[in-house]
Amino acid sequence: MALNMSHNPEKKTENAIYGKHGSDEESQTRRPSLVGDVVVDRATLGKQLELEAESAIKYRTCSWQKTAALLFSEYICLAIMSFPWAYSVLGLVPGLILTVFVALVVLYTSLTIWRFCLRHPEIRDVCDIGQYLFWDSKIAWWATAVMFLLNNTFIQGLHCLVGAEYLNTMTGHATCTIVFSCIIPIISFFFSLPRTFSGLSHMATVSAFFTFISVLLATIFAGIEPYPAGYTEALGKPIVTAFPVSGTTFVSGMSAFLNISYTFIGQITLPSFIAEMKEPEDFWKSVTAVTIAEVIVFSIVGAVIYAYTGNQYMTAPAFGSLGDDVYKKVAFSFMIPTLIFLVAAYPGWVGVMG
């Protein structure tokens, strides 16, 4: 769907459809956008749509709203619950400033990638970009493909592990974690069957909704319970600091910063999303809407949970800081659709195009 393993830009048929890294300037038209004039290769895009008109599976079918839903599901995920920990290390003020700063940098780079993809609609994934940047080198394409596959595989593994930990927590059963780790990908396999992002967008909407409910409940529970998990009179009431506490090491500070950064960074998948949009010129709407939502949700959830948990009792993810087991299980349970969807979605971003 995103990574075409049979990619061969030297084929004449593919060159006729997708162009050879761009098109004749005479076939390009200039269209205004909120980020300046964007050159859109309408000729190549038109050929792609014309070819797909008679295909059983049509890829360029995503609206900007559906693409926004996919982006929401990618970014609004379990990683949100690590922001309270990051703020406890960095301090509330630097943490919030870095959240906004990283969001703006990611938005800028995302729009840069979007502009590039508009100029070159033959680009279908980050591997094509790697090949283009290194003088049409097939080695560069495969090297980028390996990194793309590893990135997505490790992210899938993370969510499988978290899903297994959830099943262990909920069941209290002695079943091996490895067995539980196998259950999550098996379930996710059936959700990964839709071949297009347009088909996945409906599940993405559900995933993002349940994630929002999960973090909202966790935030409310953190505020209404008397004490966080692990509270003792010796440690005292939660301590909240505006700036890093004395003794904070460079390693811990950098870990917190990278934790924030990695939650925002997902540009590696953006060319795949743009390649399946019917009107790729509208992608800026999707990524801008998601960025605004990210800043609001990440900042509020991180700050509020940190304020009620403090430095002494903070865990990552912050579900572990909830003192009431019922609160913890209820809030975490709403995250399960997201875990399943992300394990299902990442194969789509490295799947084979039909």
Side-chain angles (χ1 to χ4, degrees):
M1 185 180 301
L3 173 56
N4 184 4
M5 301 302 293
S6 61
H7 176 77
N8 185 357
E10 297 177 357
K11 290 183 179 180
K12 293 182 179 179
T13 54
E14 187 162 302
N15 287 340
I17 298 168
Y18 295 101
K20 183 68 173 178
H21 297 314
S23 65
D24 192 332
E25 292 183 358
E26 294 180 359
S27 69
Q28 297 178 344
T29 59
R30 185 171 294 275
R31 290 192 173 187
S33 77
L34 294 183
V35 291
D37 289 343
V38 179
V39 177
V40 184
D41 186 351
R42 299 299 302 181
T44 302
L45 182 59
K47 290 179 181 179
Q48 293 177 1
L49 292 173
E50 182 180 351
L51 177 71
E52 288 189 354
E54 299 179 0
S55 300
I57 299 176
K58 298 177 176 60
Y59 288 99
R60 281 200 178 273
T61 55
C62 260
S63 63
W64 75 265
Q65 294 92 340
K66 290 182 177 180
T67 303
L70 289 163
L71 291 174
F72 270 112
S73 68
E74 180 185 4
Y75 290 112
I76 310 297
C77 60
L78 180 65
I80 299 174
M81 299 305 291
S82 64
F83 271 67
W85 172 82
Y87 290 173
S88 72
V89 175
L90 297 170
L92 191 56
V93 173
L96 290 172
I97 292 175
L98 285 174
T99 298
V100 176
F101 172 75
V102 173
L104 292 176
V105 171
V106 171
L107 176 61
Y108 173 79
T109 54
S110 298
L111 292 174
T112 301
I113 293 173
W114 164 64
R115 291 166 64 90
F116 179 85
C117 290
L118 287 183
R119 290 176 179 269
H120 304 281
E122 72 276 7
I123 297 294
R124 287 164 290 172
D125 48 55
V126 71
C127 306
D128 287 344
I129 293 180
Q131 179 174 348
Y132 181 92
L133 294 178
F134 287 91
W135 306 282
D136 203 27
S137 169
K138 289 288 291 183
I139 295 177
W141 191 93
W142 283 105
T144 308
V146 170
M147 295 299 103
F148 194 24
L149 287 167
L150 288 175
N151 174 79
N152 291 4
T153 300
F154 288 145
I155 292 176
Q156 285 179 274
L158 168 65
H159 288 87
C160 286
L161 177 61
V162 173
E165 292 297 329
Y166 166 79
L167 292 175
N168 275 331
T169 301
M170 293 298 292
T171 62
H173 200 274
T175 301
C176 180
T177 301
I178 296 177
V179 175
F180 281 140
S181 297
C182 294
I183 294 175
I184 299 298
I186 290 173
I187 297 173
S188 299
F189 168 78
F190 294 99
F191 287 94
S192 69
L193 294 179
R195 291 289 303 277
T196 66
F197 286 142
S198 180
L200 284 173
S201 64
H202 304 293
M203 288 184 284
T205 303
V206 174
S207 169
F209 172 76
F210 275 98
T211 300
F212 178 75
I213 296 298
S214 176
V215 298
L216 179 63
L217 288 175
T219 305
I220 294 173
F221 291 156
I224 65 176
E225 65 179 5
Y227 300 108
Y231 173 82
T232 63
E233 292 186 0
L235 292 175
K237 294 183 178 180
I239 298 174
V240 179
T241 55
F243 297 94
V245 298
S246 177
T248 301
T249 64
F250 173 80
V251 173
S252 61
M254 183 58 69
S255 296
F257 168 70
L258 292 177
N259 190 85
I260 293 174
S261 300
Y262 190 72
T263 305
F264 279 101
I265 294 172
Q267 297 96 317
I268 193 173
T269 62
L270 297 188
S272 303
F273 290 130
I274 297 170
E276 293 204 17
M277 291 187 69
K278 188 173 183 179
E279 296 292 340
E281 301 97 314
D282 291 337
F283 179 75
W284 71 268
K285 300 177 183 178
S286 305
V287 73
T288 302
V290 170
T291 301
I292 294 172
E294 284 178 311
V295 172
I296 294 173
V297 175
F298 293 176
S299 299
I300 292 177
V301 171
V304 172
I305 293 181
Y306 172 46
Y308 284 100
T309 303
N311 296 332
Q312 317 99 297
Y313 311 108
M314 185 58 64
T315 62
F319 292 116
S321 299
L322 296 175
D324 191 310
D325 284 341
V326 174
Y327 288 169
K328 187 183 305 182
K329 291 180 179 180
V330 169
F332 201 179
S333 294
F334 279 93
M335 191 65 71
I336 293 304
T338 301
L339 296 177
I340 293 174
F341 174 78
L342 288 177
V343 176
Y346 273 93
W349 294 328
V350 296
V352 180
M353 290 184 67

